[in-house]
Amino acid sequence: MGYRIRPARDEELEAAERMAAEAFAGYAASHREWVEALVATRPMHEIAAGGEVLVAVDDANRAVAAVGYVGPGKPRRDFFPADWAILRMLSVPPCHRGHGIARQLVDAVIARALRDRVTTLGLYSSPVMAVAVGLYQRMGFVHQRALPVEHGLPDDLYALDLSAHAMR
């Protein structure tokens, strides 16, 4: 099965919220407060209000995974510099993992950051999300610093220097 990445349609935002809830549900046993707070904020709608939500779609054009992109100068958490682009909420439900979808979604976010002529793409993730952190590090994201614990979950700030990508 092949997957294609495209902007989410307005009517797909609810599906993107469900994908995020499914993708992060596995952390509820150890970090219930964090998962509940995450779902309650409706993060994909928040991202769509100031950025872009991208979806991976299958051969039947059904959205199966999602990610957010926030361009430079858009509203963001205060630990992100204003000139950075941001990758948010990489969400691949368990039933769709292992097919390279996460990498395709991250590549699509990188392409948007390059389109916007950004030199740094940032994200934050928790060390408990070892698979995601490993993917980000293999793709060149570098740990910047630890962030304050929120809802019982530690987070770290990562950055990808896009100057090397721009030369390709």
Side-chain angles (χ1 to χ4, degrees), residues 5-79:
I5 310 301
R6 64 166 170 74
R9 299 178 184 130
D10 288 342
E11 64 272 14
E12 292 173 318
L13 290 178
E14 286 302 323
E17 298 289 3
R18 284 191 302 278
M19 287 180 251
E22 287 176 36
F24 293 99
Y27 300 104
S30 56
H31 297 91
R32 178 166 303 287
E33 178 187 350
W34 175 79
V35 172
E36 289 173 357
L38 175 73
V39 172
T41 63
R42 299 182 48 79
M44 294 303 188
H45 282 82
E46 176 191 330
I47 293 165
E52 300 175 54
V53 174
L54 307 174
V55 292
V57 297
D58 63 15
D59 293 334
N61 205 33
R62 288 181 303 243
V64 298
V67 70
Y69 171 75
V70 178
K74 301 289 185 180
R76 68 212 33 247
R77 302 288 302 271
D78 61 1
F79 49 78

Side-chain angles (χ1 to χ4, degrees), residues 3-4 17 21 25 35 40 50 54 56-57 60 104 114 117 167-168:
Y3 298 93
R4 188 171 50 85
E17 298 289 3
V35 172
L54 307 174
V57 297
Q104 282 185 265
L114 292 170
R117 293 180 164 46
M167 300 180 125
R168 289 182 185 176

Side-chain angles (χ1 to χ4, degrees), residues 81-156:
D83 61 339
W84 284 20
I86 304 165
L87 183 150
R88 297 258 336 263
M89 295 298 299
L90 179 61
S91 302
V92 182
C95 63
H96 293 289
R97 292 180 184 158
H99 303 286
I101 299 170
R103 181 175 283 275
Q104 282 185 265
L105 286 165
V106 174
D107 282 340
V109 168
I110 291 169
R112 277 163 174 71
L114 292 170
R115 170 199 71 192
D116 292 344
R117 293 180 164 46
V118 177
T119 58
T120 305
L121 175 63
L123 63 85
Y124 65 103
S125 189
S126 176
V128 303
M129 298 174 190
V131 173
V133 170
L135 170 68
Y136 300 140
Q137 290 175 327
R138 286 189 304 278
M139 293 186 79
F141 285 86
V142 176
H143 183 268
Q144 302 297 300
R145 63 184 168 93
L147 297 172
V149 172
E150 287 189 7
H151 302 288
L153 190 74
D155 279 316
D156 293 306

